[in-house]
Amino acid sequence: MRLPSEINAALEDYGLSVQLTNRMLDCVISDLAFWLDSGVDVRRIAINGAAGDFRRGDFADRILQRLESAGLPATVLQLEVTESVLVSQHVKNVDNTLRTLARAGVTIALDDFGTGYASLTHLKQFPVHTLKIDRSFIRRLDAERSEDDVIVSAVLDLARNLGISTVAEGIETPAQAAYLARKGCDVGQGYLFGRPMPAAQVGEMIEVWNAAAARSLIGSAAA
């Protein structure tokens, strides 16, 4: 088992990047089909797209063909791209791919927002449905009046005004979750709610986890 940071260099290699993504797609779609056939309400699963995936211009076909073969709607998938992908040398392929996937029903998320090189004009240029606020801004929200408070609030206001949903990455404490809930963040993601687990355990986790549990966590910090 390797953490993403330990294999990041492989994603810079075009050939390896495509092979890794294909393997990931096969595994994710297989798991999705299994969960849905088992009656597990998994809503939507997110996958990451690296710059190399957009080089050939067939990334959208690779995704949509697999979904069709598995009998799954495109709405069960979310594609996450970083800001660096939006400014890569294959920007035309990126634009065409994201628009094709968005038209099919795949949600497009801009990952690690605030840490890359994209300008705000990219939020108009590309079909972005979701902004994911990088964990580096969430980590210090427990500190009183930190600069990260201002940044997070600004991102949430920007997304709200543009009609884009928001996800806060790296939530680890009830206080962070409560702060983000007060600010109107749409979705929280982090170890506070769950850790990586084998696919076979997901169904049981979803069965016992519910919105009341999340409200209890947040309410205990806000009280």
Side-chain angles (χ1 to χ4, degrees):
M1 185 70 71
R2 293 286 184 266
L3 295 173
S5 59
E6 296 177 20
I7 64 169
N8 189 57
L11 298 177
E12 303 301 323
D13 180 276
Y14 165 64
L16 284 176
S17 174
V18 171
Q19 291 182 59
L20 284 169
T21 298
N22 285 341
R23 172 64 173 160
M24 174 185 65
L25 281 168
D26 289 338
C27 290
V28 167
I29 290 174
S30 175
D31 286 340
L32 271 167
F34 171 76
W35 290 326
L36 292 172
D37 286 344
S38 302
V40 179
D41 184 12
V42 292
R43 304 294 175 88
R44 187 167 57 239
I45 299 296
I47 62 171
N48 294 94
D53 290 312
F54 296 89
R55 181 175 176 178
R56 293 192 311 200
D58 66 345
F59 193 22
D61 291 337
R62 286 157 53 200
I63 293 174
L64 296 177
Q65 287 173 4
R66 282 173 167 80
L67 287 169
E68 184 178 2
S69 296
L72 297 176
T75 51
V76 300
L77 210 62
Q78 174 171 294
L79 177 65
E80 300 183 356
V81 295
T82 61
E83 294 174 283
S84 59
V85 169
L86 300 187
V87 295
S88 70
Q89 59 182 320
H90 307 295
V91 64
K92 185 175 181 179
N93 285 348
V94 172
D95 186 41
N96 290 337
T97 298
L98 296 185
R99 292 190 182 281
T100 298
L101 291 172
R103 285 195 298 268
V106 175
T107 299
I108 308 300
L110 187 52
D111 201 11
D112 302 333
F113 185 72
T115 63
Y117 308 100
S119 69
L120 295 181
T121 58
H122 288 104
L123 297 180
K124 295 194 302 180
Q125 179 180 351
F126 297 97
V128 176
H129 307 113
T130 300
L131 290 183
K132 299 193 71 176
I133 306 171
D134 188 70
R135 66 183 66 246
S136 62
F137 300 117
I138 306 301
R139 187 181 306 131
R140 292 181 293 271
L141 287 181
D142 288 334
E144 186 175 353
R145 296 183 63 80
S146 71
E147 293 179 351
D148 296 286
D149 294 1
V150 178
I151 294 173
V152 170
S153 294
V155 172
L156 292 173
D157 287 341
L158 172 68
R160 189 178 301 113
N161 290 330
L162 291 174
I164 298 174
S165 66
T166 47
V167 177
E169 301 178 309
I171 300 175
E172 297 187 359
T173 70
Q176 292 168 348
Y179 173 90
L180 291 160
R182 289 196 304 271
K183 291 291 184 177
C185 185
D186 297 300
V187 178
Q189 172 184 323
Y191 287 165
L192 177 66
F193 307 112
R195 290 178 176 270
M197 66 183 66
Q201 297 178 12
V202 169
E204 181 180 357
M205 185 274 292
I206 291 178
E207 186 176 338
V208 300
W209 177 261
N210 54 49
R215 287 195 296 269
S216 177
L217 280 172
I218 297 171
S220 65

